Amino acid sequence: GAGVSQTPSNKVTEKGKYVELRCDPISGHTALYWYRQSLGQGPEFLIYFQGTGAADDSGLPNDRFFAVRPEGSVSTLKIQRTERGDSAVYLCASSKSHENTEAFFGQGTRLTVV
Amino acid sequence: TQLLEQSPQFLSIQEGENLTVYCNSSSVFSSLQWYRQEPGEGPVLLVTVVTGGEVKKLKRLTFQFGDARKDSSLHITAAQPGDTGLYLCAGAIQGGSEKLVFGKGMKLTVNP
């Protein structure tokens, strides 16, 4: 597809479980961002990749959160030992490069921890 | 600490009214973007401004970047119900990691 694709669109998990959220960026975009958004709030920065490497992971809330982008395209956000407070919409965005920060977003994954 | 402060946070107006949304920071941005988000969707880019003092127009929307590149405004003329949504400003801090940081947004409701 032409846009950013995120899967799954919805995920319900039990407290303490492990989840993986996937992002397929726009082809050729080297920069990839993960954000977390709570209801009625702006997206909160989590991590930013330039190519395969995490250029800035200062937004990850704790060591239960981890993200990878092994081939510089698809990225996976991994959350261990999920907590109810992790419930939110997780948004992925990509941009052509780190110099061009015009970001294109996917529809997000709504994560609910019960 | 919120790097980008948006005001107002909520606005409910009647169709045909004008409005201005502000986005302020103490940081200098290399570029600043405005996005619009509807429920259940990701933010959609409206405009990018990069030069201090720059003004861009998109139909009834006018965007301005402050001279010092620390603030921006979005003015909507003759608002319509279709303008309803969450308006977000976002920017890349100059000299930083070029990560894109967002304000909390302004939720606009335009009543017919």
Side-chain angles (χ1 to χ4, degrees):
Chain A
V4 177
S5 175
Q6 290 188 247
T7 54
S9 54
N10 282 283
K11 176 72 177 178
V12 180
T13 191
E14 292 182 347
K15 179 177 178 295
K17 298 289 188 182
Y18 168 83
V19 295
E20 289 190 352
L21 312 179
R22 177 186 167 105
C23 173
D24 268 288
I26 293 172
S27 178
H29 280 194
T30 61
L32 184 146
Y33 308 81
W34 283 100
Y35 292 86
R36 179 168 68 176
Q37 188 174 28
S38 301
L39 190 64
Q41 300 292 314
E44 173 193 12
F45 172 78
L46 296 176
I47 186 169
Y48 153 53
F49 286 90
Q50 181 57 38
T52 60
D56 189 331
D57 64 358
S58 62
L60 295 177
N62 51 59
D63 61 6
R64 294 187 297 106
F65 289 75
F66 189 71
V68 296
R69 195 186 184 199
E71 297 178 0
S73 178
V74 170
S75 176
T76 305
L77 178 65
K78 309 179 180 191
I79 310 174
Q80 297 177 321
R81 304 183 304 279
T82 51
E83 299 177 357
R84 292 195 178 90
D86 298 336
S87 297
V89 175
Y90 289 81
L91 291 166
C92 176
S94 68
S95 64
K96 287 183 181 178
S97 70
H98 70 282
E99 290 105 352
N100 182 341
T101 53
E102 294 183 338
F104 296 86
F105 282 82
Q107 288 191 312
T109 294
R110 180 175 297 279
L111 175 66
T112 304
V113 182
V114 298
Chain B
T1 303
Q2 191 73 23
L3 285 173
L4 281 166
E5 298 284 349
Q6 287 190 242
S7 62
Q9 293 185 24
F10 301 92
L11 192 60
S12 181
I13 60 173
Q14 295 300 120
E15 183 176 1
E17 291 186 34
N18 302 331
L19 68 123
T20 302
V21 187
Y22 298 94
C23 178
N24 297 295
S25 177
S26 58
S27 301
V28 176
F29 291 88
S30 55
S31 67
L32 192 141
Q33 288 114 42
W34 285 90
Y35 293 80
R36 179 168 166 264
Q37 185 178 24
E38 297 193 47
E41 303 289 329
V44 175
L45 179 68
L46 296 174
V47 77
T48 298
V49 286
V50 296
T51 305
E54 183 175 4
V55 177
K56 281 192 173 179
K57 291 191 175 184
L58 183 65
K59 296 183 180 179
R60 294 176 292 101
L61 278 60
T62 302
F63 305 86
Q64 185 163 7
F65 202 11
D67 291 341
R69 290 186 289 137
K70 293 183 178 181
D71 54 83
S72 181
S73 64
L74 159 60
H75 182 79
I76 302 178
T77 304
Q80 299 177 1
D83 295 328
T84 294
L86 182 68
Y87 288 82
L88 297 155
C89 65
I93 296 173
Q94 184 168 311
S97 72
E98 299 299 323
K99 70 184 180 187
L100 201 59
V101 293
F102 279 80
K104 288 188 175 182
M106 189 277 291
K107 186 173 182 180
L108 174 65
T109 302
V110 182
N111 303 297

